[in-house]
Every structure is written in C-alpha cells, then in structure tokens.
Amino acid sequence: MAKTRAEVNRQATAGARYLRISSPKLNQVAALIRGTHIDEARRILAFTPKAASHEISKVLEAAIANAEHNHDLAAHELFVKEVMADEGPTLKRFRPRALGRAYRIRKRTSHLHIIVERRGTEPAPRTSARQAGEEGGGRRWRRSQGTAAAAAPKAPRTRAGLRAAGRSGPKTESKSDTKGSGGRRQMPRPAKGGN
C-alpha cells in the first residue's frame, strides 16, 4: 500500500531572512515556544511583550500554512519542532562623536527558521532545566541525594567561624608577645610619656 504525502513527510518549514533584529533577542522568545502545540505557541506569542514575538508569529503562521497546503497536514495536530535564529550580516553605521571621532553602530540582522511537525494530539515530553541538571549530575542533584560528602558539614574558613565551632585558629609558634591574643601577633604599644 502506497504511503500518502503526509505520512512520508510529517513536517513543514518556513523561514525569514535578513530580519532587522538580533538573534539573541529572537532566541529569547523562541525558547518559549519550542516543543509546544501550535495553539499554545500562538497564545504565548500573542501575549509576549517583545518585538521578536511579532516576527516569530509571522514565520510560525507561514510554517502552519505550508504544512496544510503543501503536505496535507492537519493544523490541530502540529507542534513546533525547531525554532532556529541564526545571525545574519551586520550593517555598519557610524555616529559622529566629539573631537572628530566616530563610533561604530552595529545594526544586527538574523535569519529565522521554524519547523513544525505532526505528532498527533499528545505532546512530546519536555525536559525542564531541573531534570536536565539531574541527568547531568549537577550540584543541586548531588545535594538532593544526601550523599556523605554533601551531608558532612563543611569546615569553617573564617576566624569567626572557627571561634563559633569551638576550635582555635591556625597553629602558630607560641611566643611571649602572642600570649592571650588568640594566636594573633600584636604591635608593641608605644611607651607612655613624652618624646
């Protein structure tokens, strides 16, 4: 039995090049919609108060239209698979400054590509930063495990911490001028009286 065009290609793409916005600004908003259902992605973009959300929503709508028209995919089954914002060419302009100097102004551009795919009605499991830290053996994961190294109290590093723990400071040679001063050397006091 021959497969239909939708079964063969379950994803559609759309892109915009030379957008007059920097790629880090696009990536901030792109991170919000990666892996989400397109209805949820539309809602997120509609209520995100950033200029990048307008650019991303236009490309997302184009990707959805490409999926419906070119690949016969139903819009209610689409999820955002990838959102890539790459750096484009930088336009260089100059601003006159004092004493005949000129400051360079970099007008950055970027290329945006969105891939939507058909997954059915259930979303794919997304890994949060906390779960990724647990898998990678991050610091929080080690603390939560209650290992002997994490449970053992750390030795105090300051003199105040040593005093609170009931331990004396670092061992020094006992000299007559250090007696009773807690191990610290004191400057000799000047003699009372005239010069």
Side-chain angles (χ1 to χ4, degrees), residues 30 62 119 132-133 160 185:
R119 288 190 201 157
R185 298 189 83 189

Side-chain angles (χ1 to χ4, degrees), residues 2 5-6 9 11-12 20-21 31 44-45 49 51 57 61 72 78 84 98 102 114 116 128 138 141 157 171 173 188:
R5 196 167 36 160
N9 194 357
Q11 60 188 26
R20 271 291 294 117
I21 187 168
I44 290 170
L45 293 173
S57 65
E61 294 301 324
D72 300 324
L78 294 176
M84 296 172 291
I114 295 180
V116 293
S128 66
W141 180 79
R157 295 184 178 188
K171 301 293 182 191
E173 296 177 16

Side-chain angles (χ1 to χ4, degrees), residues 77-91:
E77 296 179 343
L78 294 176
F79 286 80
V80 179
K81 180 182 179 185
E82 286 182 35
V83 184
M84 296 172 291
D86 300 323
E87 192 175 331
T90 301
L91 306 173

Side-chain angles (χ1 to χ4, degrees), residues 92-154:
K92 294 173 179 73
R93 302 291 181 261
F94 293 93
R95 187 89 179 146
R97 303 299 290 182
L99 301 175
R101 295 189 181 106
Y103 281 5
R104 178 179 287 174
I105 294 175
R106 296 171 190 87
K107 294 178 180 277
R108 304 206 185 260
T109 63
S110 55
H111 306 313
L112 178 65
H113 302 283
I114 295 180
I115 300 174
V116 293
E117 69 173 350
R118 181 174 148 250
R119 288 190 201 157
T121 55
E122 74 285 342
R126 288 179 53 179
T127 58
S128 66
R130 180 173 288 170
Q131 290 171 347
E134 290 175 5
E135 293 166 4
R139 184 178 68 201
R140 288 184 180 166
W141 180 79
R142 285 195 302 272
R143 263 193 214 150
S144 66
Q145 293 304 307
T147 60
K154 292 186 176 180

